[in-house]
Amino acid sequence: DIQMTQSPSSLSASVGDRVTITCRASQGISNYLVWFQQKPGKAPKSLIYAASSLQSGVPSKFSGSGSGTEFTLTISSLQPEDFATYYCQQYNTYPRTFGQGTKLEIK
Amino acid sequence: EVQLVESGGGLVQPGGSLRLSCVASGFTFSSYSMNWVRQAPGKGLEWVSYISSSSSTIYYADSVKGRFTISRDNVKNSLYLQMNSLRAEDTAVYYCVRDGWLEYFDYWGQGTLVTVSS
């Protein structure tokens, strides 16, 4: 199985900050990576697919990059609604595997 | 508008069974592969099972293989998860999730909570 490792596990930031979350795959997955945002009590919502393509309706403050084994999610100009937990997931092979999540909290 | 609505969750004793359902609307259900993903309380996301559009291909996570069965009814626009021999560690919110054309999880239901406890 492909292991997905996110860092950091938690992150404190202020409104207006720019933050970056990293996701590493245990083996190459090309660009078959998706980023999700999850708020408490809600289902995850896709933000970025194919490592760098913005999901329809998602603001351009979210951006993704990477290929192979190393990927990043960047969120610019943080707003209160962006404080949530973020997950990466590979869809190169089954079983589909997720990172452990990064909880983004307000400083 | 794509909608996925799960039902069937509840409290069940260890060793018991439960059947989850997911009714889809707003898209041509028979054209899409589907999945179940779960999330234990306060924990991360875990993929559980996959079924192709025609039911010809099915996959399971090792943690549920031999105990859970995924199925679908394309006439009723419904996805199912039959869960047998339930364990405490199966306690989670179970989400019905669509595989988009690009094969990533593009739409999620609101989830249904399964609690396995005596």
Side-chain angles (χ1 to χ4, degrees):
Chain A
D1 298 359
I2 298 175
Q3 308 299 319
M4 306 300 292
T5 304
Q6 281 181 240
S7 60
S9 296
S10 63
L11 179 57
S12 289
S14 302
V15 171
D17 284 355
R18 171 183 162 131
V19 297
T20 297
I21 299 168
T22 298
C23 178
R24 289 187 174 87
S26 61
Q27 61 191 76
I29 59 170
S30 185
N31 68 335
Y32 294 106
L33 185 103
V34 59
W35 288 97
F36 296 102
Q37 176 194 65
Q38 187 179 33
K39 296 182 179 179
K42 300 294 187 182
K45 170 189 165 186
S46 56
L47 301 173
I48 302 284
Y49 65 94
S52 60
S53 296
L54 196 64
Q55 181 75 31
S56 176
V58 173
S60 58
K61 63 192 307 182
F62 294 95
S63 63
S65 66
S67 182
T69 62
E70 191 136 343
F71 304 86
T72 60
L73 172 71
T74 299
I75 313 169
S76 61
S77 188
L78 282 170
Q79 295 303 305
E81 62 269 22
D82 300 328
F83 291 91
T85 300
Y86 293 84
Y87 294 93
C88 63
Q89 184 225 344
Q90 64 82 18
Y91 56 101
N92 184 63
T93 60
Y94 276 92
R96 300 290 197 244
T97 45
F98 294 87
Q100 79 279 15
T102 296
K103 188 173 184 179
L104 178 56
E105 298 174 303
I106 299 177
K107 187 182 288 184
Chain B
E1 178 195 5
V2 171
Q3 284 202 310
L4 299 167
V5 180
E6 303 95 335
S7 62
L11 175 63
V12 61
Q13 292 189 337
S17 298
L18 214 53
R19 189 195 197 206
L20 305 184
S21 300
C22 169
V23 176
S25 61
F27 65 102
T28 304
F29 181 72
S30 59
S31 297
Y32 288 84
S33 300
M34 298 294 296
N35 297 265
W36 289 98
V37 174
R38 68 184 180 183
Q39 186 170 36
K43 301 297 184 182
L45 299 164
E46 179 188 18
W47 168 80
V48 172
S49 185
Y50 161 93
I51 187 167
S52 63
S53 57
S54 64
S55 303
S56 59
T57 302
I58 286 175
Y59 300 124
Y60 297 100
D62 287 345
S63 56
V64 307
K65 202 172 295 183
R67 300 187 299 122
F68 290 11
T69 302
I70 192 171
S71 62
R72 64 190 295 161
D73 184 332
N74 286 343
V75 174
K76 295 182 177 179
N77 290 340
S78 294
L79 176 72
Y80 306 102
L81 187 68
Q82 177 66 42
M83 304 186 295
N84 298 332
S85 303
L86 283 161
R87 306 166 180 166
E89 53 265 36
D90 296 318
T91 294
V93 173
Y94 285 73
Y95 294 102
C96 168
V97 186
R98 190 181 85 165
D99 249 21
W101 284 118
L102 296 177
E103 299 186 350
Y104 69 94
F105 296 169
D106 63 353
Y107 284 96
W108 298 60
Q110 85 289 348
T112 187
L113 176 63
V114 172
T115 303
V116 184
S117 174
S118 54

